[in-house]
Amino acid sequence: MKEFDDVVIDIKKLSFSRGDRLIYDEVDIKVPRGKITAIMGPSGTGKTTLLRLIGGQLKPDSGSILVDDDNIPELGRSDLFNVRERMGMLFQSGALFTDISVFENVAFPIRVHTDLSEDMIRDVVFMKLQAVGLRGAHDLMPSELSGGMARRVALARAISLDPDIVMYDEPFTGQDPIAMGVLVNLIRELNASLEHTSIIVSHDIQETLGIADYIYIIADSKVIASGTPEELSKVESEQVKQFMHGLPDGPVPFHFPADDIVSDLMGGQQ
Amino acid sequence: MINQLARLGHKGLSKLAAFGRAGMILFQSLVAAPQPLIMFPLLVKQIYFVGVLSLIIIVVSGLFIGMVLGLQGYTILVDYGSEQAVGQMVALSLVRELAPVVTALLFAGRAGSALTAEIGLMKATEQLSSLEMIGVDPLRRIIAPRFWAGFICLPILAAIFALVGIYGGALVSIDWLGIYEGSFWANMQNSVDFYDDVVNGLIKAVAFGFVVTWIAVFQGYDCIPTSEGISQATTKTVVYSSLAVLGLDFILTAVMFGEL
Ligand SMILES: Nc1ncnc2c1ncn2[C@@H]1O[C@H](COP(=O)(O)OP(=O)(O)O)[C@@H](O)[C@H]1O
Ligand SMILES: [Mg+2]
């Protein structure tokens, strides 16, 4: 693994399991400050789980997750509250609060974490909505938004407190090509102008390759490869190649383990 | 045989674990560090959704049940020439039993299932996780106000049910069947005791409110976050809370009126 000059999130020997299933097995991941880092891997490998571990919603079985100098799993309530103020997360489903307007959604984290006056909150919210191109939609309810718009509002909410770290869970999934292009540009521009660290979790290979500075590929509870997009395209490992090129068969099987198809089709009549 | 025993044990354990989780949720949302200032507006909103919107079904059901009680009571009592006692019968059966029990059953179907579905959907759409990432405890913000609202509303709804029911009974007995008004109300006043009947009925309603709302919010919070999981949780809310209300009613009745 490469040594970065300035690491903002340092995950060491992280292990996590759900029931009997080992999701992470002593994984090390370093996230460089100010860059866009992508975590990629097939569905169900635990990418969302990783973001929840970083956010402190789940506790690892062992290992440490250092965000600057705070070890997330060991933080108490109020320290965790303070660390979360520095993180914004864009959930896969957008996760807008459906009972309040777009404006109130974006204002929500500001109200929770600061004592700003109503005027200042208004200014901040309008600036964030302007940044995602939806200032005009401030008084709509989430149910009145299209999928792409909802995700942009969620993005405005995620950056409303100017966090140091923004985490995106599958930002491109289920978006039409235009919305996708808008989002890709938005993430890149925001990362450059607000100077925060971005972590993108995704299985959309092309979009992610185009935007990420550094990539980790996760499979079988481990990091199987990491590097810049150019480095990864040269990796010789069959497993990595299969994933990068979206080939249906290879070390990562397309078929879920099953009995011989002939015996299944015969209905066990032999 | 051994396998079945193991499966039974496993099922028992997972039920026990669920009970433990339900207890944790109850404790964390209600007992740990209440925030009255943030809570109050949320509570008012939930009282509206859970209580005020349940009013119509409660009032209509109460009216009809009271009217049926009046009719049935009259046809039985008239054979013994004691049809003036119909007021007493209507009031006692409503205040002691029917108001708390039927209100709780209707409440489980009307408000309990809605609570479960709403919370389950919030979980499935990651709104609960989102709150947590922003730094707000969803137990306190989402669960606690809904719980208090149900707990507060059910006794009030039961009282309204009893009042409307008695009015329905009077309507049938006095205006339709022609029972003398004075004896209808006088009999009722003489026989209904404030502590033995009214307070005990209210205690039942409070207990039912607690149980039904607890089951509803727990099922929502603990559901599997998929559309199928939410529909299962909603069904469970109605089934479990109905059974719990009926079983608890028997126990409470035995304790309150058993020594008669
Ligand atoms: N709340 C949960 N309870 C039990 N298992 C879960 C839960 N959430 C996710 N999982 C399991 O953990 C694994 C990783 O899930 P996830 O992190 O969502 O994967 P990804 O985001 O990479 O698609 C999956 O196999 C999933 O079934
Ligand atoms: Mg995921």
Side-chain angles (χ1 to χ4, degrees), chain A residues 201-266:
Chain A
V201 148
S202 180
H203 56 232
D204 293 292
I205 298 153
Q206 288 317 315
E207 288 70 26
T208 316
L209 282 179
I211 194 177
D213 296 311
Y214 200 79
I215 297 174
Y216 290 89
I217 300 181
I218 299 179
D220 299 335
S221 326
K222 298 218 181 275
V223 174
I224 58 167
S226 64
T228 61
E230 298 77 53
E231 286 165 8
L232 282 184
S233 59
K234 294 192 203 98
V235 172
E236 286 300 314
S237 144
E238 287 298 320
Q239 208 179 1
V240 176
K241 270 193 193 160
Q242 186 200 345
F243 181 75
M244 299 281 287
H245 301 293
L247 304 176
D249 246 327
V252 184
F254 161 71
H255 290 287
F256 195 81
D259 292 338
D260 180 37
I261 186 170
V262 175
S263 68
D264 264 0
L265 290 177
M266 299 295 285

Side-chain angles (χ1 to χ4, degrees), chain A residues 109-126:
Chain A
I110 309 175
R111 294 192 202 282
V112 170
H113 283 276
T114 69
D115 293 323
L116 293 183
S117 70
E118 206 50 36
D119 273 352
M120 289 172 80
I121 291 180
R122 207 181 148 74
D123 292 347
V124 176
V125 171
F126 277 137

Side-chain angles (χ1 to χ4, degrees), chain A residues 48 92 169-170:
Chain A
T48 303
Q92 194 161 354
D169 191 2
E170 309 274 8

Side-chain angles (χ1 to χ4, degrees), chain B residues 171-255:
Chain B
L171 207 67
V172 167
S173 318
I174 299 168
D175 295 335
W176 184 16
L177 301 171
I179 291 178
Y180 177 55
E181 199 176 349
S183 53
F184 180 91
W185 295 115
N187 258 324
M188 192 185 295
Q189 271 183 5
N190 287 336
S191 61
V192 178
D193 182 85
F194 181 71
Y195 288 105
D196 283 349
D197 302 316
V198 178
V199 171
N200 276 341
L202 275 179
I203 291 177
K204 278 186 178 178
V206 170
F208 297 161
F210 182 81
V211 169
V212 171
T213 330
W214 187 16
I215 291 177
V217 295
F218 171 70
Q219 289 297 342
Y221 192 76
D222 203 54
C223 78
I224 301 164
T226 59
S227 41
E228 197 184 23
I230 294 172
S231 90
Q232 276 174 3
T234 314
T235 310
K236 276 188 194 167
T237 291
V238 176
V239 173
Y240 289 173
S241 37
S242 305
L243 291 178
V245 163
L246 296 172
L248 196 62
D249 183 50
F250 177 75
I251 297 172
L252 288 176
T253 307
V255 172

Side-chain angles (χ1 to χ4, degrees), chain A residues 81-220:
Chain A
F81 183 84
N82 292 332
V83 173
R84 281 176 179 163
E85 188 180 347
R86 299 177 38 211
M87 297 181 184
M89 180 148 166
L90 181 68
F91 284 88
Q92 194 161 354
S93 56
L96 292 177
F97 302 131
T98 43
D99 55 340
I100 52 180
S101 68
V102 164
F103 181 94
E104 285 302 322
N105 262 285
V106 180
F108 191 92
I110 309 175
R111 294 192 202 282
V112 170
H113 283 276
T114 69
D115 293 323
L116 293 183
S117 70
E118 206 50 36
D119 273 352
M120 289 172 80
I121 291 180
R122 207 181 148 74
D123 292 347
V124 176
V125 171
F126 277 137
M127 270 163 52
K128 299 301 173 188
L129 282 174
Q130 175 77 7
V132 298
L134 289 174
R135 189 165 45 86
H138 70 272
D139 56 3
L140 296 183
M141 294 301 280
S143 57
E144 299 170 290
L145 302 174
S146 73
M149 286 162 83
R151 204 149 314 180
R152 275 146 71 199
V153 173
L155 181 50
R157 184 179 68 183
I159 58 170
S160 64
L161 288 168
D162 290 322
D164 300 335
I165 302 163
V166 182
M167 300 189 272
Y168 301 87
D169 191 2
E170 309 274 8
F172 312 122
T173 328
Q175 301 286 318
D176 61 72
I178 297 174
M180 186 112 95
V182 170
L183 265 170
V184 170
N185 284 331
L186 204 53
I187 293 175
R188 194 184 284 133
E189 280 166 22
L190 288 176
N191 191 78
S193 61
L194 302 178
E195 300 181 334
H196 54 227
T197 304
S198 306
I199 303 176
I200 298 179
V201 148
S202 180
H203 56 232
D204 293 292
I205 298 153
Q206 288 317 315
E207 288 70 26
T208 316
L209 282 179
I211 194 177
D213 296 311
Y214 200 79
I215 297 174
Y216 290 89
I217 300 181
I218 299 179
D220 299 335

Side-chain angles (χ1 to χ4, degrees), chain B:
Chain B
M1 180 66 195
I2 294 287
N3 267 345
Q4 271 167 346
L5 262 177
R7 219 172 302 144
L8 196 72
H10 191 75
K11 245 194 149 149
L13 278 182
S14 76
K15 285 266 184 290
L16 214 62
F19 204 72
R21 287 201 301 280
M24 289 286 290
I25 286 173
L26 186 69
F27 179 80
Q28 284 177 6
S29 55
L30 303 189
V31 186
Q35 303 162 297
L37 270 183
I38 300 181
M39 230 342 231
F40 189 72
L42 296 171
L43 181 62
V44 171
K45 195 168 158 190
Q46 289 309 318
I47 287 181
Y48 175 75
F49 281 124
V50 166
V52 178
L53 294 184
S54 302
L55 263 177
I56 292 197
I57 189 173
I58 295 295
V59 167
V60 173
S61 315
L63 188 70
F64 278 114
I65 287 192
M67 284 162 51
V68 168
L69 278 177
L71 265 176
Q72 291 280 15
Y74 180 84
T75 49
I76 294 171
L77 292 173
V78 78
D79 289 343
Y80 304 95
S82 47
E83 66 269 18
Q84 288 84 2
V86 73
Q88 164 184 358
M89 205 206 92
V90 169
L92 282 182
S93 33
L94 275 171
V95 170
R96 284 185 181 180
E97 286 295 334
L98 289 173
V101 173
V102 176
T103 305
L105 295 178
L106 292 172
F107 186 82
R110 164 64 185 75
S113 59
L115 279 180
T116 305
E118 189 194 14
I119 296 172
L121 207 61
M122 284 183 170
K123 185 175 181 181
T125 54
E126 297 176 307
Q127 292 183 52
L128 297 184
S129 293
S130 198
L131 274 176
E132 215 174 321
M133 275 307 292
I134 290 170
V136 174
D137 184 353
L139 284 174
R140 285 197 237 162
R141 181 107 192 173
I142 303 291
I143 307 295
R146 285 169 176 73
F147 188 90
W148 283 117
F151 190 51
I152 294 169
C153 287
L154 189 55
I156 298 176
L157 289 173
I160 294 173
F161 187 99
L163 287 178
V164 176
I166 289 172
Y167 175 75
L171 207 67
V172 167
S173 318
I174 299 168
D175 295 335
W176 184 16
L177 301 171
I179 291 178
Y180 177 55
E181 199 176 349
S183 53
F184 180 91
W185 295 115
N187 258 324
M188 192 185 295
Q189 271 183 5
N190 287 336
S191 61
V192 178
D193 182 85
F194 181 71
Y195 288 105
D196 283 349
D197 302 316
V198 178
V199 171
N200 276 341
L202 275 179
I203 291 177
K204 278 186 178 178
V206 170
F208 297 161
F210 182 81
V211 169
V212 171
T213 330
W214 187 16
I215 291 177
V217 295
F218 171 70
Q219 289 297 342
Y221 192 76
D222 203 54
C223 78
I224 301 164
T226 59
S227 41
E228 197 184 23
I230 294 172
S231 90
Q232 276 174 3
T234 314
T235 310
K236 276 188 194 167
T237 291
V238 176
V239 173
Y240 289 173
S241 37
S242 305
L243 291 178
V245 163
L246 296 172
L248 196 62
D249 183 50
F250 177 75
I251 297 172
L252 288 176
T253 307
V255 172
M256 290 168 175
F257 305 103
E259 72 271 22
L260 291 183

